[in-house]
Amino acid sequence: MRDAGTKLLLHACCGPCSAGCLGGLEEEGIKPDLFWYNPNIHPWTEYRSRRDCLEGLAGRKNLKLLKIDEYGLRLFLGGLGAGGGNGAKAGRCGYCYRLRLEKTAETARREGYDCFSTTLLISPYQRHDDIKKTGEELAARYGVPFFYRDFRPLFRGGQKTAREQGFYMQKYCGCIFSEEERYAP
Ligand code: SF4
């Protein structure tokens, strides 16, 4: 168990994934602050639904929620053109992890957190090892430790809790490409 006073900034991609991670952290006696920065979520109505769901969860759990509340369609697509693989999954997901984790590391350093992490570590659908590697690289660059946990065993339980509690449940990963992959025939 970690020191219950660990000041952790937890990047949060959505309410359901956050619920699972928070359960695991509670068992370790850690109450993180949440951080919303997700320029990868499109379109706008989807962005709003996920953001509002997370705000509700933070309120109910009495957790501090830091937000960079900027809908990032243009930023995200522009960055892809500059090295994110032009929409191909291999390039774009790496770019997407780095974009969000870098802002989290930067914010953690500026605001005096002990460490940072991300709820992306709970998803069995993400490239877990890439997320870990990116977090560790950014930790070295920003001088703030990456708080790594394999939260994946908590995924199903977190989703179940989220459903029972009436959370907004997304149907695709986030970006406009993943929406197409989910729905296009
Ligand atoms: S599929 Fe998911 S992780 Fe990959 S770029 Fe899109 S939103 Fe990001």
CSV table of all heavy atoms in Angstrom, one decimal, residues 128-162:
chain,number,residue,atom,x,y,z
A,128,HIS,N,-1.7,-1.4,-24.0
A,128,HIS,CA,-1.3,-1.1,-22.6
A,128,HIS,C,0.2,-0.9,-22.5
A,128,HIS,O,0.6,0.1,-21.8
A,128,HIS,CB,-1.7,-2.4,-21.8
A,128,HIS,CG,-1.6,-2.2,-20.4
A,128,HIS,ND1,-2.6,-1.8,-19.5
A,128,HIS,CD2,-0.5,-2.4,-19.5
A,128,HIS,CE1,-2.1,-1.7,-18.3
A,128,HIS,NE2,-0.9,-2.1,-18.3
A,129,ASP,N,1.0,-1.7,-23.2
A,129,ASP,CA,2.4,-1.5,-23.1
A,129,ASP,C,2.9,-0.2,-23.6
A,129,ASP,O,3.9,0.4,-23.1
A,129,ASP,CB,3.2,-2.7,-23.7
A,129,ASP,CG,2.9,-4.0,-23.0
A,129,ASP,OD1,2.4,-3.9,-21.8
A,129,ASP,OD2,3.2,-5.0,-23.5
A,130,ASP,N,2.2,0.3,-24.7
A,130,ASP,CA,2.6,1.6,-25.3
A,130,ASP,C,2.3,2.7,-24.3
A,130,ASP,O,3.0,3.7,-24.2
A,130,ASP,CB,1.8,1.8,-26.6
A,130,ASP,CG,2.3,0.9,-27.7
A,130,ASP,OD1,3.3,0.2,-27.5
A,130,ASP,OD2,1.7,1.0,-28.8
A,131,ILE,N,1.1,2.6,-23.6
A,131,ILE,CA,0.7,3.6,-22.6
A,131,ILE,C,1.8,3.7,-21.5
A,131,ILE,O,2.2,4.8,-21.1
A,131,ILE,CB,-0.7,3.3,-22.1
A,131,ILE,CG1,-1.7,3.4,-23.2
A,131,ILE,CG2,-1.0,4.3,-20.9
A,131,ILE,CD1,-3.0,2.8,-22.8
A,132,LYS,N,2.2,2.5,-21.0
A,132,LYS,CA,3.1,2.5,-19.9
A,132,LYS,C,4.5,3.1,-20.4
A,132,LYS,O,5.1,3.9,-19.7
A,132,LYS,CB,3.3,1.0,-19.6
A,132,LYS,CG,4.3,0.8,-18.4
A,132,LYS,CD,4.3,-0.7,-18.0
A,132,LYS,CE,5.1,-1.0,-16.8
A,132,LYS,NZ,6.4,-1.5,-17.1
A,133,LYS,N,4.9,2.7,-21.6
A,133,LYS,CA,6.2,3.2,-22.1
A,133,LYS,C,6.1,4.7,-22.2
A,133,LYS,O,7.1,5.5,-21.9
A,133,LYS,CB,6.5,2.5,-23.4
A,133,LYS,CG,7.8,2.8,-24.0
A,133,LYS,CD,8.1,1.7,-25.0
A,133,LYS,CE,9.3,2.1,-25.9
A,133,LYS,NZ,9.0,2.6,-27.2
A,134,THR,N,5.1,5.2,-22.8
A,134,THR,CA,4.9,6.7,-23.0
A,134,THR,C,4.9,7.4,-21.6
A,134,THR,O,5.5,8.4,-21.4
A,134,THR,CB,3.6,7.0,-23.8
A,134,THR,OG1,3.7,6.2,-25.0
A,134,THR,CG2,3.4,8.4,-24.0
A,135,GLY,N,4.2,6.8,-20.7
A,135,GLY,CA,4.1,7.4,-19.3
A,135,GLY,C,5.5,7.5,-18.7
A,135,GLY,O,5.9,8.5,-18.1
A,136,GLU,N,6.3,6.4,-18.9
A,136,GLU,CA,7.6,6.4,-18.3
A,136,GLU,C,8.6,7.4,-19.0
A,136,GLU,O,9.4,8.1,-18.3
A,136,GLU,CB,8.1,5.0,-18.3
A,136,GLU,CG,7.4,4.2,-17.2
A,136,GLU,CD,7.6,2.7,-17.3
A,136,GLU,OE1,8.2,2.2,-18.3
A,136,GLU,OE2,7.1,2.0,-16.4
A,137,GLU,N,8.4,7.5,-20.3
A,137,GLU,CA,9.3,8.5,-21.0
A,137,GLU,C,8.9,9.9,-20.5
A,137,GLU,O,9.9,10.7,-20.3
A,137,GLU,CB,9.0,8.4,-22.5
A,137,GLU,CG,9.7,7.3,-23.2
A,137,GLU,CD,9.2,7.1,-24.7
A,137,GLU,OE1,8.7,8.1,-25.2
A,137,GLU,OE2,9.3,6.0,-25.2
A,138,LEU,N,7.7,10.2,-20.4
A,138,LEU,CA,7.3,11.5,-20.0
A,138,LEU,C,7.7,11.8,-18.6
A,138,LEU,O,8.0,12.9,-18.2
A,138,LEU,CB,5.8,11.7,-20.2
A,138,LEU,CG,5.4,11.7,-21.7
A,138,LEU,CD1,3.9,11.6,-21.9
A,138,LEU,CD2,5.9,13.0,-22.4
A,139,ALA,N,7.6,10.8,-17.8
A,139,ALA,CA,8.0,10.9,-16.4
A,139,ALA,C,9.5,11.4,-16.3
A,139,ALA,O,9.9,12.3,-15.5
A,139,ALA,CB,7.9,9.6,-15.6
A,140,ALA,N,10.3,10.8,-17.1
A,140,ALA,CA,11.8,11.1,-17.2
A,140,ALA,C,11.9,12.6,-17.7
A,140,ALA,O,12.7,13.3,-17.1
A,140,ALA,CB,12.5,10.1,-18.0
A,141,ARG,N,11.1,12.9,-18.7
A,141,ARG,CA,11.3,14.2,-19.2
A,141,ARG,C,10.8,15.3,-18.3
A,141,ARG,O,11.4,16.4,-18.2
A,141,ARG,CB,10.5,14.3,-20.6
A,141,ARG,CG,10.7,15.7,-21.2
A,141,ARG,CD,10.4,15.9,-22.6
A,141,ARG,NE,10.2,14.7,-23.4
A,141,ARG,CZ,9.2,14.6,-24.4
A,141,ARG,NH1,8.4,15.6,-24.5
A,141,ARG,NH2,9.2,13.6,-25.1
A,142,TYR,N,9.7,15.1,-17.6
A,142,TYR,CA,9.1,16.1,-16.8
A,142,TYR,C,9.5,16.0,-15.3
A,142,TYR,O,9.1,16.9,-14.5
A,142,TYR,CB,7.5,16.1,-16.9
A,142,TYR,CG,7.1,16.7,-18.3
A,142,TYR,CD1,7.1,15.9,-19.4
A,142,TYR,CD2,6.9,18.1,-18.4
A,142,TYR,CE1,6.7,16.5,-20.6
A,142,TYR,CE2,6.6,18.6,-19.6
A,142,TYR,CZ,6.5,17.8,-20.7
A,142,TYR,OH,6.2,18.4,-22.0
A,143,GLY,N,10.2,15.0,-14.9
A,143,GLY,CA,10.7,14.9,-13.6
A,143,GLY,C,9.5,14.6,-12.6
A,143,GLY,O,9.7,14.9,-11.4
A,144,VAL,N,8.5,13.9,-13.0
A,144,VAL,CA,7.4,13.5,-12.1
A,144,VAL,C,7.1,12.0,-12.4
A,144,VAL,O,6.9,11.6,-13.5
A,144,VAL,CB,6.1,14.3,-12.4
A,144,VAL,CG1,5.0,13.9,-11.4
A,144,VAL,CG2,6.3,15.8,-12.4
A,145,PRO,N,7.2,11.2,-11.4
A,145,PRO,CA,7.0,9.7,-11.6
A,145,PRO,C,5.7,9.4,-12.2
A,145,PRO,O,4.6,10.0,-11.9
A,145,PRO,CB,7.1,9.1,-10.2
A,145,PRO,CG,7.9,10.1,-9.4
A,145,PRO,CD,7.5,11.5,-10.0
A,146,PHE,N,5.7,8.3,-13.1
A,146,PHE,CA,4.5,7.8,-13.7
A,146,PHE,C,4.0,6.7,-12.7
A,146,PHE,O,4.8,5.8,-12.4
A,146,PHE,CB,4.8,7.2,-15.0
A,146,PHE,CG,3.6,6.6,-15.7
A,146,PHE,CD1,2.4,7.4,-16.0
A,146,PHE,CD2,3.5,5.3,-16.1
A,146,PHE,CE1,1.3,6.9,-16.6
A,146,PHE,CE2,2.4,4.8,-16.7
A,146,PHE,CZ,1.3,5.6,-17.0
A,147,PHE,N,2.8,6.8,-12.2
A,147,PHE,CA,2.2,5.9,-11.3
A,147,PHE,C,1.6,4.7,-12.1
A,147,PHE,O,0.5,4.9,-12.6
A,147,PHE,CB,1.2,6.6,-10.4
A,147,PHE,CG,0.5,5.7,-9.4
A,147,PHE,CD1,0.9,5.7,-8.1
A,147,PHE,CD2,-0.6,5.0,-9.8
A,147,PHE,CE1,0.2,4.9,-7.2
A,147,PHE,CE2,-1.3,4.2,-8.8
A,147,PHE,CZ,-0.8,4.2,-7.5
A,148,TYR,N,2.4,3.7,-12.3
A,148,TYR,CA,1.9,2.6,-13.1
A,148,TYR,C,1.1,1.5,-12.3
A,148,TYR,O,1.6,1.0,-11.3
A,148,TYR,CB,3.0,1.9,-13.9
A,148,TYR,CG,2.5,0.6,-14.6
A,148,TYR,CD1,1.7,0.8,-15.7
A,148,TYR,CD2,2.8,-0.6,-14.1
A,148,TYR,CE1,1.3,-0.4,-16.4
A,148,TYR,CE2,2.3,-1.8,-14.7
A,148,TYR,CZ,1.5,-1.6,-15.9
A,148,TYR,OH,1.0,-2.7,-16.5
A,149,ARG,N,0.0,1.2,-12.8
A,149,ARG,CA,-0.8,0.0,-12.3
A,149,ARG,C,-1.4,-0.7,-13.5
A,149,ARG,O,-1.8,0.0,-14.4
A,149,ARG,CB,-1.9,0.4,-11.3
A,149,ARG,CG,-1.5,0.9,-10.0
A,149,ARG,CD,-0.9,-0.2,-9.1
A,149,ARG,NE,-0.5,0.3,-7.8
A,149,ARG,CZ,0.6,1.0,-7.5
A,149,ARG,NH1,1.5,1.3,-8.4
A,149,ARG,NH2,0.8,1.4,-6.3
A,150,ASP,N,-1.4,-2.0,-13.4
A,150,ASP,CA,-2.2,-2.7,-14.4
A,150,ASP,C,-3.6,-2.8,-13.9
A,150,ASP,O,-3.9,-3.7,-13.1
A,150,ASP,CB,-1.6,-4.1,-14.7
A,150,ASP,CG,-2.4,-4.8,-15.8
A,150,ASP,OD1,-3.4,-4.3,-16.3
A,150,ASP,OD2,-1.9,-5.9,-16.2
A,151,PHE,N,-4.5,-1.9,-14.3
A,151,PHE,CA,-5.8,-1.9,-13.8
A,151,PHE,C,-6.8,-2.8,-14.5
A,151,PHE,O,-8.0,-2.9,-14.2
A,151,PHE,CB,-6.4,-0.4,-13.9
A,151,PHE,CG,-5.8,0.6,-12.9
A,151,PHE,CD1,-5.2,1.7,-13.4
A,151,PHE,CD2,-5.9,0.5,-11.6
A,151,PHE,CE1,-4.7,2.7,-12.6
A,151,PHE,CE2,-5.4,1.4,-10.7
A,151,PHE,CZ,-4.8,2.5,-11.2
A,152,ARG,N,-6.3,-3.5,-15.6
A,152,ARG,CA,-7.2,-4.2,-16.4
A,152,ARG,C,-8.1,-5.3,-15.8
A,152,ARG,O,-9.2,-5.4,-16.2
A,152,ARG,CB,-6.4,-4.9,-17.6
A,152,ARG,CG,-5.9,-3.9,-18.6
A,152,ARG,CD,-5.0,-4.5,-19.7
A,152,ARG,NE,-3.7,-4.9,-19.1
A,152,ARG,CZ,-2.7,-5.4,-19.8
A,152,ARG,NH1,-2.8,-5.5,-21.1
A,152,ARG,NH2,-1.6,-5.8,-19.2
A,153,PRO,N,-7.6,-5.9,-14.7
A,153,PRO,CA,-8.5,-6.9,-14.0
A,153,PRO,C,-9.7,-6.2,-13.4
A,153,PRO,O,-10.7,-6.9,-13.1
A,153,PRO,CB,-7.6,-7.5,-12.9
A,153,PRO,CG,-6.2,-7.3,-13.4
A,153,PRO,CD,-6.2,-6.0,-14.2
A,154,LEU,N,-9.7,-4.9,-13.3
A,154,LEU,CA,-10.8,-4.1,-12.7
A,154,LEU,C,-11.8,-3.7,-13.8
A,154,LEU,O,-12.9,-3.1,-13.5
A,154,LEU,CB,-10.3,-2.9,-11.9
A,154,LEU,CG,-9.3,-3.2,-10.8
A,154,LEU,CD1,-8.7,-1.9,-10.3
A,154,LEU,CD2,-10.1,-4.0,-9.7
A,155,PHE,N,-11.5,-3.9,-15.1
A,155,PHE,CA,-12.3,-3.3,-16.1
A,155,PHE,C,-13.8,-3.8,-16.1
A,155,PHE,O,-14.7,-2.9,-16.1
A,155,PHE,CB,-11.7,-3.7,-17.5
A,155,PHE,CG,-12.4,-3.1,-18.7
A,155,PHE,CD1,-12.3,-1.7,-18.9
A,155,PHE,CD2,-13.2,-3.9,-19.5
A,155,PHE,CE1,-13.0,-1.2,-20.0
A,155,PHE,CE2,-13.9,-3.3,-20.6
A,155,PHE,CZ,-13.8,-2.0,-20.8
A,156,ARG,N,-14.0,-5.1,-16.1
A,156,ARG,CA,-15.4,-5.6,-16.1
A,156,ARG,C,-16.2,-5.1,-14.9
A,156,ARG,O,-17.4,-4.7,-15.1
A,156,ARG,CB,-15.4,-7.1,-16.2
A,156,ARG,CG,-14.7,-7.7,-17.4
A,156,ARG,CD,-15.5,-7.6,-18.7
A,156,ARG,NE,-14.7,-7.8,-19.8
A,156,ARG,CZ,-14.8,-7.2,-21.0
A,156,ARG,NH1,-15.7,-6.3,-21.2
A,156,ARG,NH2,-13.9,-7.4,-22.0
A,157,GLY,N,-15.6,-5.2,-13.8
A,157,GLY,CA,-16.3,-4.7,-12.6
A,157,GLY,C,-16.7,-3.2,-12.6
A,157,GLY,O,-17.8,-2.8,-12.3
A,158,GLY,N,-15.7,-2.4,-13.2
A,158,GLY,CA,-16.0,-1.0,-13.3
A,158,GLY,C,-17.1,-0.7,-14.2
A,158,GLY,O,-18.0,0.1,-14.0
A,159,GLN,N,-17.1,-1.5,-15.4
A,159,GLN,CA,-18.2,-1.3,-16.4
A,159,GLN,C,-19.6,-1.6,-15.8
A,159,GLN,O,-20.6,-1.0,-16.0
A,159,GLN,CB,-17.9,-2.1,-17.6
A,159,GLN,CG,-16.6,-1.8,-18.3
A,159,GLN,CD,-16.8,-0.6,-19.2
A,159,GLN,OE1,-17.7,-0.6,-20.1
A,159,GLN,NE2,-16.0,0.4,-19.0
A,160,LYS,N,-19.6,-2.7,-15.0
A,160,LYS,CA,-20.8,-3.2,-14.4
A,160,LYS,C,-21.4,-2.1,-13.4
A,160,LYS,O,-22.5,-1.7,-13.5
A,160,LYS,CB,-20.5,-4.5,-13.7
A,160,LYS,CG,-21.7,-5.2,-13.0
A,160,LYS,CD,-21.4,-6.6,-12.6
A,160,LYS,CE,-22.5,-7.3,-11.9
A,160,LYS,NZ,-22.7,-6.8,-10.6
A,161,THR,N,-20.5,-1.6,-12.6
A,161,THR,CA,-20.9,-0.6,-11.7
A,161,THR,C,-21.4,0.6,-12.4
A,161,THR,O,-22.5,1.2,-12.1
A,161,THR,CB,-19.7,-0.1,-10.8
A,161,THR,OG1,-19.1,-1.3,-10.2
A,161,THR,CG2,-20.0,0.9,-9.8
A,162,ALA,N,-20.7,1.0,-13.5
A,162,ALA,CA,-21.1,2.2,-14.2
A,162,ALA,C,-22.5,2.0,-14.8
A,162,ALA,O,-23.3,2.9,-14.8
A,162,ALA,CB,-20.1,2.4,-15.3
